[in-house]
Amino acid sequence: MDGWNLWMKERGHPAYRAKQIWQHLYERRAGSFDAMTNLPKTMRDDLKASLTFGDLMVADERVSRDGTLKRAYVLRDGQVIESVLMPYKDGRRTACISSQAGCAMGCVFCATGQMGFARQLSSAEIVEQALIFARELHQRGERLSNVVLMGMGEPLANYDNAMEAVERINHDLGVGMRHITVSTVGLPERIKQIADEGRQVTLAVSLHAASDQQRSALIPINKKHPIQQVMQACVYYCGKTGRRISFEWALIAGETDTPQQADQLGRLLSRAMRQGLIGHVNLIPVNPTEGYDGRPSSPLAVSSFIDTLKRHGVGATARLRRGIDIEGGCGQLKAETIKRQQKESQRGTVEVAA
């Protein structure tokens, strides 16, 4: 609320109005300055004249047969990001939001990784993605229950802004800290920093392979931070926080879903568990993308993978694939949006030339 206090002072408005605006935004989920009817009209006009109501403009939106809503947003500088809202039968409403425009990690099976890095998102741009969903859910008598920083970008490579956003999502939107998940490919020093700062977020670490050779082929950052460094940081995190880590594993038919891969992962995690690791594996059949021809695993391969991990004393859950019919994978809708914008731009150029 400090920003609103400063704005009040600069514009000569009473300081107590800052709290009223905050309440409109985060408690009543107002969708415009005009909806803040207990503010004087002169003040609402001043707000509209000097500020924009948010930084995100919808560029594309798709709704899946399973209820998943995916949006591509255009930012003020023209960058495009994505957000997803996933409803579950048990009442959970989970927002998957982006922390960067693009991503520098270069994971080969990820559409975002294939398009490269553009810039960091501000904490406000990160929070607004969750706020928009919270506002829309509020209007139909529902609430945002979970938030995952698992959209475009590597949150721990935008650490300060991502952590500030986490604090605001917790404080301003009322999402419990343990219902906020931060996903990372594994930046060891940042994982330790989360532990040292005592943050109670849920940590999800994307492994996807259990040997350095295989993981480096899928996730290039592994060449800088090999698996043992990542695992040591995870053991440290569990020792400091007592929290369980979710390990993400993309199941790619014939590549990462074989009995040998399952055995290798089981041995890796069971060794770390003897050192204090508390972990669980989330198995995710890969979403196909234009830049990667790997296919999702069969149900039989998934079941076999889980059984192999169980024999090592490692728990695993197969995660439902959601939004497949609407370009649900990270970065896919952005890629489609950019293609459409380019076609529209080219069409406009041709029309002018004609």
Side-chain angles (χ1 to χ4, degrees):
M1 203 161 64
D2 290 342
W4 285 114
N5 286 326
L6 180 61
W7 188 86
M8 295 297 164
K9 185 176 180 180
E10 290 176 346
R11 309 292 291 192
H13 296 293
Y16 72 89
R17 296 291 188 188
K19 184 175 181 180
Q20 289 180 312
I21 292 176
W22 185 91
Q23 289 172 328
H24 275 296
L25 289 172
Y26 298 107
E27 292 180 0
R28 299 171 188 170
R29 308 289 197 248
S32 68
F33 291 128
D34 284 327
M36 302 178 182
T37 52
N38 64 341
L39 301 180
K41 185 177 184 304
T42 53
M43 185 175 177
R44 280 178 275 150
D45 290 341
D46 193 10
L47 285 164
K48 289 187 290 184
S50 61
L51 301 171
T52 57
F53 198 85
D55 295 314
L56 311 184
M57 182 176 69
V58 176
D60 200 352
E61 177 179 293
R62 301 182 187 180
V63 181
S64 171
R65 291 186 294 269
D66 62 27
T68 299
L69 167 65
K70 183 161 190 176
R71 286 198 183 119
Y73 291 108
V74 177
L75 305 178
R76 290 189 187 186
D77 62 356
Q79 292 295 333
V80 179
I81 61 170
E82 297 176 351
S83 303
V84 180
L85 180 65
M86 296 171 286
Y88 293 90
K89 292 181 180 179
D90 62 5
R92 284 176 297 143
R93 298 294 181 264
T94 299
C96 180
I97 61 177
S98 298
S99 56
Q100 297 177 318
C103 184
M105 298 298 107
C107 302
V108 298
F109 51 81
C110 174
T112 304
Q114 293 160 16
M115 66 183 64
F117 175 75
R119 71 167 173 86
Q120 309 284 18
L121 297 188
S122 68
S123 61
E125 290 169 331
I126 299 170
V127 171
E128 189 178 349
Q129 297 169 69
L131 174 59
I132 290 171
F133 287 138
R135 182 187 301 139
E136 293 169 353
L137 289 167
H138 178 77
Q139 290 170 355
R140 56 180 190 252
E142 300 176 4
R143 65 176 291 271
L144 183 65
S145 60
N146 299 72
V147 174
V148 294
L149 276 71
M150 201 178 284
M152 298 177 64
E154 165 56 63
L156 299 192
N158 186 16
Y159 190 87
D160 291 343
N161 289 343
M163 291 304 112
E164 182 180 339
V166 163
E167 294 292 339
R168 290 183 56 191
I169 289 167
N170 172 240
H171 180 266
D172 295 344
L173 299 184
V175 179
M177 194 64 82
R178 295 192 176 202
H179 294 280
I180 302 173
T181 299
V182 177
S183 176
T184 176
V185 296
L187 304 186
E189 293 308 312
R190 293 305 192 187
I191 291 173
K192 293 176 182 178
Q193 185 174 352
I194 289 178
D196 290 338
E197 292 173 352
R199 298 185 183 277
Q200 290 298 300
V201 295
T202 295
L203 185 64
V205 176
S206 296
L207 275 182
H208 306 311
S211 74
D212 284 324
Q213 181 180 1
Q214 293 164 327
R215 192 167 189 261
S216 294
L218 293 173
I219 305 174
I221 195 66
N222 188 76
K223 296 171 185 175
K224 182 177 181 181
H225 301 299
I227 288 177
Q228 286 308 315
Q229 285 186 16
V230 176
M231 298 309 298
Q232 288 166 7
C234 290
V235 169
Y236 179 87
Y237 171 90
C238 293
K240 289 280 286 191
T241 68
R243 302 294 313 283
R244 187 180 80 169
I245 294 175
S246 293
F247 291 99
E248 310 293 303
W249 187 277
L251 285 170
I252 306 167
E255 294 186 44
T256 64
D257 67 348
T258 65
Q260 294 80 7
Q261 288 282 318
D263 184 65
Q264 198 170 38
L265 175 61
R267 285 187 279 112
L268 174 73
L269 293 182
S270 62
R271 282 196 303 269
M273 289 165 67
R274 290 193 292 271
Q275 299 169 3
L277 179 75
I278 311 167
H280 185 86
V281 179
N282 280 329
L283 300 170
I284 314 152
V286 70
N287 278 329
T289 67
E290 282 190 13
Y292 185 70
D293 59 5
R295 308 307 298 174
S297 301
S298 69
L300 183 61
V302 175
S303 178
S304 175
F305 202 98
I306 291 173
D307 289 342
T308 299
L309 291 180
K310 190 180 296 184
R311 287 197 292 272
H312 286 282
V314 177
T317 303
R319 207 161 74 189
L320 292 174
R321 299 169 72 218
R322 299 183 64 90
I324 300 302
D325 55 319
I326 58 166
E327 308 291 357
C330 181
Q332 290 179 289
L333 185 55
K334 173 178 176 176
E336 291 295 318
T337 300
I338 291 174
K339 284 182 183 177
R340 190 186 70 246
Q341 290 175 334
Q342 289 172 341
K343 288 179 181 178
E344 291 172 352
S345 176
Q346 290 169 356
R347 190 162 55 243
T349 302
V350 171
E351 289 172 357
V352 170

